[in-house]
Amino acid sequence: MEGTQTYEFRPLILVAEDDDSNFKLIKAIIGKKCDIMWARNGEEMVNLFQTHGEDAKAMLMDIKMPLMNGLEATKIIRESNTTIPIIMQTAYAFSSDKENAMKAGATEVLVKPITLGVLRGTLSKYLPDLQW
């Protein structure tokens, strides 16, 4: 049978998360439909972006990480790319955290714990071809 093959949109998502269990949760929520590359801190995320940024469709960025936090990493990434969706995650629901993230260049800020519905819904907003 020819002509039955369908193209499945599998976006590359770069994930910056220093906590193993939080990363595993994100992977469990989106891993079946997305390719994921993991950075354990902001410095690794900047390097991942410099290497794979052209292929990446979105980024999930934890704010609080060692070596370089998500705000600093986002500012650096925004110097060369202003369009990639950067979805920042924070464990703190303070409005100042959200403001700081938006000033740094975040597209959206989610408060942990991240749920399946919120994460998938947010990614779908920026990647409409993504079918859950």
Side-chain angles (χ1 to χ4, degrees), residues 14-60:
L14 304 182
V15 178
E17 173 59 69
D18 64 318
D19 184 273
D20 286 15
S21 58
N22 286 343
F23 174 74
K24 285 177 181 152
L25 174 66
I26 290 168
K27 190 174 179 183
I29 293 173
I30 66 172
K32 284 188 171 48
K33 296 289 184 174
C34 304
D35 293 327
I36 300 170
M37 294 184 111
W38 183 17
R40 293 172 182 266
N41 60 58
E43 215 169 76
E44 283 183 19
M45 184 59 133
V46 170
N47 292 337
L48 257 188
F49 177 75
Q50 287 168 343
T51 311
H52 302 282
E54 287 180 19
D55 300 320
K57 300 296 181 216
M59 303 171 96
L60 295 176

Side-chain angles (χ1 to χ4, degrees), residues 58-70:
M59 303 171 96
L60 295 176
M61 180 89 70
D62 190 21
I63 290 180
K64 196 173 186 313
M65 294 183 290
L67 296 181
M68 179 189 291
N69 68 36

Side-chain angles (χ1 to χ4, degrees), residues 52-122:
H52 302 282
E54 287 180 19
D55 300 320
K57 300 296 181 216
M59 303 171 96
L60 295 176
M61 180 89 70
D62 190 21
I63 290 180
K64 196 173 186 313
M65 294 183 290
L67 296 181
M68 179 189 291
N69 68 36
L71 298 174
E72 294 171 58
T74 297
K75 286 177 187 168
I76 292 168
I77 290 163
R78 284 293 183 226
E79 287 171 13
S80 61
N81 185 318
T82 56
T83 57
I84 188 166
I86 299 179
I87 300 157
M88 296 192 91
Q89 308 155 81
T90 179
Y92 309 102
F94 303 119
S95 61
S96 61
D97 281 350
K98 192 168 186 168
E99 272 172 47
N100 290 337
M102 297 307 277
K103 276 186 201 148
T107 313
E108 187 137 350
V109 182
L110 304 179
V111 177
K112 291 179 179 180
I114 307 296
T115 64
L116 182 146
V118 167
L119 184 53
R120 287 184 176 177
T122 303

